[in-house]
Amino acid sequence: MRPMAERARAQLRAEALDVAEELVVAGRFGMPELASRLGVSRQTLYNEFGDRHGVTSALVLRSTERFLDGIEAALAGERDLHAAWVAAVAAALHRAADEPLLKALLTGDSDVLGAEPIVVAARDRAAAYLRRTWPELENVDLAAETAARLTVSHIGLPLAPPEVIAEQVATVVVRTCARR
Amino acid sequence: MRPMAERARAQLRAEALDVAEELVVAGRFGMPELASRLGVSRQTLYNEFGDRHGVTSALVLRSTERFLDGIEAALAGERDLHAAWVAAVAAALHRAADEPLLKALLTGDSDVLGAEPIVVAARDRAAAYLRRTWPELENVDLAAETAARLTVSHIGLPLAPPEVIAEQVATVVVRTCARR
DNA sequence: CCGTAGACAGATTGCTGAAGAGTGTCCAGA
DNA sequence: TCTGGACACTCTTCAGCAATCTGTCTACGG
């Protein structure tokens, strides 16, 4: 396949997922609607994504990757372990508040997928980052999973402002993995 | 009101909630059905509970109180702080697995109520118990809320056997509140 | 080769009206 | 004090039907 065609394909995929996200959030997602909004034929979508589920799963995949990238960037943006977790949790809370699709995934208000893949992926990426950046820590896997679960819990059931939540989760996580 | 009548009332309430729980779990809850299964008139139920919502909320209240009583008993049954939390979390996991109504409440698969009242009540009772029994601990409220949220998270999304989960949650909670 | 338009059967969804059941309240009677 | 029955109202259920959507195929055009 020639570079130009490939670039066009990637561009189409990206634009398709953008529009698909709008439609899913609006509750109007469908292949005919998506095709007409993109100005392409329905058949082109089937060629690119296989079927309807191919579109939705690609959309979920992209959303979770962006979500986790944002969290890892926040984690990496601070030198202090506690500050890093405050930033990461705050980033997660704000992103979940901004993106309805993400919040639906994390709280289970969706027919697409459950929260499990995101929690597992977040745990694994956070644990890998911790091991890479602070090798002297202990209980790294437990701390990472705790961070993921507590954050998701606070997204679904917020009892305090995001800054307070971030501070609390960071405290728990740091005390879990800090050597004493 | 005479003692006998009062005892009869309490007995009716208890039996009504027993049957109501069966019916809710079976998805067949209704006032006519409940009355006929109890052998009383519909009117008696309305006199006792006010309305349909009065029955369901009384049922939820009883379930959560039993649930929290069981957890607090498990907490109080061990001398070591870590062992106490292992026992408490394990008790919560097993109870949630056994009682469909409870699990539906905690995972949000219910039209009755959300998990918020249970989480808040569990947090408050656990915090009070900790303060009473181990006055030297720090971060007591944070530790109690963490225990509640992590346990609920593991009920809705179990990734390990109950014993492992209980051990992990206990480790996090103890490290959160243990003075170093 | 690649995308489009159109057609197609089968499945899914939305609607609508009728029937039934449930809710909450009242009252007469045991 | 509880019961049985009656009541108006709402809510769910269900069948049938129309519309739409899905996934695939084919013919056409740059």
Side-chain angles (χ1 to χ4, degrees):
Chain A
M1 196 164 300
R2 296 181 305 279
M4 221 178 79
E6 198 159 338
R7 212 175 312 157
R9 279 172 68 98
Q11 196 170 342
L12 171 66
R13 280 189 76 96
E15 193 178 344
L17 294 184
D18 290 338
V19 177
E21 181 158 357
E22 281 180 39
L23 294 177
V24 168
V25 169
R28 315 182 61 79
F29 173 72
M31 300 297 266
E33 178 91 8
L34 180 57
S36 79
R37 293 273 289 264
L38 289 169
V40 299
S41 73
R42 216 158 44 89
Q43 188 57 41
T44 303
L45 287 182
Y46 280 101
N47 290 340
E48 183 60 33
F49 292 100
D51 57 6
R52 177 195 171 98
H53 181 257
V55 181
T56 56
S57 61
L59 184 56
V60 168
L61 196 63
R62 192 184 71 164
S63 285
T64 67
E65 282 182 355
R66 284 181 178 175
F67 182 59
L68 297 180
D69 287 345
I71 293 174
E72 191 161 342
L75 252 189
E78 306 280 339
R79 296 196 162 257
D80 172 46
L81 180 61
H82 187 273
W85 276 110
V86 171
V89 173
L93 294 177
H94 287 121
R95 261 196 127 89
D98 288 343
E99 297 182 27
L101 179 59
L102 206 49
K103 182 166 183 181
L105 285 179
L106 289 170
T107 56
D109 306 342
S110 167
D111 47 357
V112 189
L113 246 98
E116 173 172 337
I118 305 189
V119 170
V120 171
R123 185 236 301 164
D124 293 343
R125 285 182 64 163
Y129 177 79
L130 285 182
R131 238 186 278 283
R132 203 184 319 134
T133 310
W134 284 281
E136 74 278 12
L137 297 179
E138 57 190 10
N139 291 325
V140 170
D141 291 304
L142 179 57
E145 180 161 349
T146 299
R149 287 185 181 271
L150 284 181
T151 303
V152 171
S153 171
H154 280 102
I155 288 172
L157 187 63
L159 294 177
E163 307 79 32
V164 176
I165 293 173
E167 183 67 32
Q168 291 176 339
V169 173
T171 298
V172 172
V173 172
V174 170
R175 288 178 77 104
T176 296
C177 63
R179 201 174 287 278
R180 8 195 157 193
Chain B
M1 195 162 302
R2 296 180 304 276
M4 222 181 76
E6 198 158 340
R7 211 174 315 156
R9 279 172 68 97
Q11 195 170 342
L12 170 66
R13 280 190 75 95
E15 193 179 344
L17 294 185
D18 289 339
V19 177
E21 181 158 359
E22 280 180 39
L23 295 177
V24 167
V25 170
R28 315 183 60 81
F29 172 73
M31 300 297 266
E33 177 89 10
L34 180 57
S36 80
R37 293 274 289 265
L38 288 169
V40 301
S41 72
R42 220 155 41 88
Q43 188 58 41
T44 304
L45 287 182
Y46 281 101
N47 290 340
E48 183 58 34
F49 292 100
D51 58 4
R52 177 195 170 97
H53 181 258
V55 182
T56 57
S57 61
L59 183 55
V60 168
L61 198 63
R62 193 183 69 162
S63 286
T64 67
E65 281 181 358
R66 285 180 178 175
F67 181 58
L68 297 180
D69 286 346
I71 293 174
E72 191 161 343
L75 252 189
E78 306 281 339
R79 296 196 161 258
D80 173 45
L81 180 60
H82 187 271
W85 277 110
V86 171
V89 173
L93 294 176
H94 287 124
R95 260 197 128 87
D98 287 344
E99 297 182 28
L101 178 61
L102 206 50
K103 182 166 183 180
L105 284 179
L106 289 170
T107 56
D109 305 344
S110 165
D111 49 354
V112 188
L113 247 100
E116 172 170 339
I118 305 188
V119 169
V120 170
R123 185 236 301 166
D124 293 343
R125 285 181 63 164
Y129 177 79
L130 285 183
R131 238 187 278 283
R132 203 184 319 131
T133 312
W134 284 281
E136 74 279 10
L137 295 179
E138 56 190 10
N139 292 324
V140 170
D141 291 304
L142 179 56
E145 179 161 348
T146 298
R149 287 185 181 271
L150 284 181
T151 303
V152 171
S153 171
H154 279 103
I155 288 171
L157 187 62
L159 294 176
E163 308 79 32
V164 176
I165 292 173
E167 183 66 33
Q168 291 177 339
V169 173
T171 299
V172 172
V173 172
V174 170
R175 287 180 78 103
T176 296
C177 63
R179 202 175 286 278
R180 4 195 162 194

